[in-house]
Amino acid sequence: MVEGAGLENRYARKGIEGSNPSLSVLPHRVLIAAELRGLLEPDQLEGLDVTWLPADQPVGKGDWVAIVPLLSRWVGGTELKYLPSLRIVANCAVGYDNVDVVAAEMRKVIVTNTPDVLTDATADLTWTLILACARRVVEAIDLVRAEQWRGWHPELLLGVELRGRTLGLFGAGRIGQAVGRRAVPFGLRVIYAARTAKPDFERDTGAVRVDWSRLVTESDILSLHAPSTPETKGMINGDTLSRMKPGAILVNTARGDLIREEALAIALEGGRLGAAGLDVYTEEPTIHPRLRAAPRTVLLPHIGSATHDTRRKMAAIAVANVQAVLAGQPPLTPVYR
Ligand code: NAP
């Protein structure tokens, strides 16, 4: 339980003590994830009385008017009840499945996210996983590290040639399209499933919109880029995995609960699936033990947006949303428009 006393942001204090004469009122009390502290500049926090909230501490009762949580913090009915003065939840992520947006809307609390700034970083990481799976990079590294490499061999660690194969995108929003655009120079055919057609994307890449069933059965590489919602949860399950092409590669940089992890482990153990490249998991940081032990996986610790530039921009946008709302202006990136 975190209480605000003694944890005020010293820059905000400085602000009211005179460095900024325009600040004549008490600073706004805000809760910000403590893990973001090193990514934020003092001027971004001006006018805010910050309580830094570590990820392992629950939200306490208090008069904070804003919260900037990490995606690992659930902000639901209880938290909103504890924070009766809350005006904004500025999630430091593009996904906002950790926020009960309906409960927030009912309490007239604005919810914002951090779109766009993380698109390229996440698309690049998706390609890291695609290439690592297709070219068996983890097995290759393990071989070298174990001093088991016996020299060049024509059949050593043969992988999948990308040119001419089909990349299927589930979700073709910002990140899905960025992944699809990167597929063109690799010579991949792109298909996608999304709720609405993307004519610009189709024109630029030759991508073809298909239904879910065709996406599953025609993809050599199936990459997930839809948010976690009641409709998308568990879409990759025993049934869908059994309908994928033998040897296909599954990549997930969206949210872990799109995949039933035990079913994926079984598909990998049985040799039906070629490989799985994952950045996200259902119960992070725990990975289903059977999946962690399964063959032909590339398992990353949710680092899709983890570049210096992107993480700074995400923190900056989250706090800029807080500053805008507290100044009586519209939020920059609301999740409901
Ligand atoms: P976005 O622009 O909102 O794109 C989401 C896409 O999913 C849209 O094309 C949307 O279709 C589609 N979609 C949503 N529900 C669907 C459904 N039921 N069936 C089919 N398609 C559906 O979001 P984004 O910026 O690309 O981010 C996508 C997700 O990536 C985020 O929600 C987040 O969970 C995840 N992410 C992960 C990391 C990481 O660190 N690994 C980093 C950033 C983001 P329409 O366009 O037709 O609405």
Side-chain angles (χ1 to χ4, degrees):
M1 185 99 33
V2 166
E3 299 299 340
L7 292 169
E8 296 91 339
N9 176 270
R10 63 192 171 92
Y11 303 106
R13 281 259 166 260
K14 205 174 132 203
I16 54 169
E17 280 163 11
S19 75
N20 185 345
S22 66
L23 287 169
S24 56
V25 291
L26 281 174
H28 299 286
R29 296 193 75 218
V30 304
L31 281 169
I32 302 182
E35 294 74 13
L36 296 174
R37 197 168 193 162
L39 297 172
L40 288 161
E41 301 298 329
D43 61 320
Q44 294 169 320
L45 300 169
E46 202 160 335
L48 304 180
D49 174 359
V50 180
T51 302
W52 298 101
L53 179 63
D56 60 358
Q57 290 195 31
V59 172
K61 292 181 184 168
D63 62 353
W64 291 281
V65 293
I67 181 168
V68 180
L70 304 180
L71 55 81
S72 50
R73 180 179 295 282
W74 172 248
V75 182
T78 305
E79 292 72 18
L80 294 167
K81 202 170 75 186
Y82 279 3
L83 304 172
S85 306
L86 200 68
R87 291 164 63 187
I88 174 170
V89 179
N91 210 35
C92 193
V94 69
Y96 47 91
D97 46 298
N98 60 308
V99 182
D100 186 338
V101 288
V102 176
E105 196 181 6
M106 282 166 62
R107 288 178 171 268
K108 301 198 173 8
V109 173
I110 291 167
V111 181
T112 62
N113 63 350
T114 62
D116 299 314
V117 291
L118 43 58
T119 297
D120 282 334
T122 310
D124 290 348
L125 192 90
T126 305
W127 270 95
T128 306
L129 287 171
I130 292 172
L131 291 168
C133 286
R135 300 305 298 272
R136 303 173 63 180
V137 168
V138 171
E139 288 166 84
I141 292 170
D142 287 349
L143 188 78
V144 172
R145 286 234 166 98
E147 297 183 15
Q148 294 298 312
W149 181 37
R150 303 283 172 256
W152 195 90
H153 188 285
E155 290 189 286
L156 176 67
L157 287 169
L158 301 185
V160 176
E161 188 101 10
L162 295 184
R163 189 163 296 279
R165 291 217 153 67
T166 298
L167 170 67
L169 304 169
F170 177 57
R174 291 167 291 243
I175 297 169
Q177 289 190 34
V179 170
R181 289 176 194 278
R182 284 158 173 71
V184 176
F186 283 100
L188 283 156
R189 166 182 174 250
V190 180
I191 57 177
Y192 73 98
R195 292 174 302 189
T196 54
K198 315 291 177 194
D200 293 349
F201 177 55
E202 293 181 15
R203 188 197 59 230
D204 295 348
T205 63
V208 174
R209 186 174 173 217
V210 296
D211 62 21
W212 170 247
S213 179
R214 273 189 67 189
L215 190 82
V216 167
T217 54
E218 291 183 21
S219 296
D220 294 295
I221 302 158
L222 177 56
S223 191
L224 309 182
H225 302 288
S228 168
T229 66
E231 295 80 46
T232 62
K233 274 181 193 174
M235 284 195 82
I236 302 292
N237 50 40
D239 173 55
T240 41
L241 288 161
S242 72
R243 288 190 284 128
M244 286 177 70
K245 280 186 178 178
I249 293 169
L250 176 67
V251 170
N252 187 11
T253 60
R255 283 290 181 266
D257 56 13
L258 270 60
I259 296 178
R260 296 271 180 256
E261 290 176 348
E262 185 160 17
L264 174 57
I266 292 167
L268 288 160
E269 288 163 4
R272 180 174 170 79
L273 207 64
L278 309 174
D279 186 43
V280 287
Y281 310 89
T282 305
E283 297 287 344
E284 296 178 9
T286 303
I287 300 178
H288 192 293
R290 202 163 167 180
L291 181 58
R292 195 160 23 82
R296 297 181 312 286
T297 59
V298 183
L299 305 179
L300 301 181
H302 203 150
I303 55 168
S305 62
T307 70
H308 292 287
D309 290 350
T310 292
R311 287 284 163 84
R312 282 188 189 283
K313 288 177 185 168
M314 289 166 67
I317 290 183
V319 171
N321 272 304
V322 170
Q323 295 281 23
V325 168
L326 298 183
Q329 293 158 8
L332 309 175
T333 52
V335 302
Y336 280 157
R337 288 175 194 278

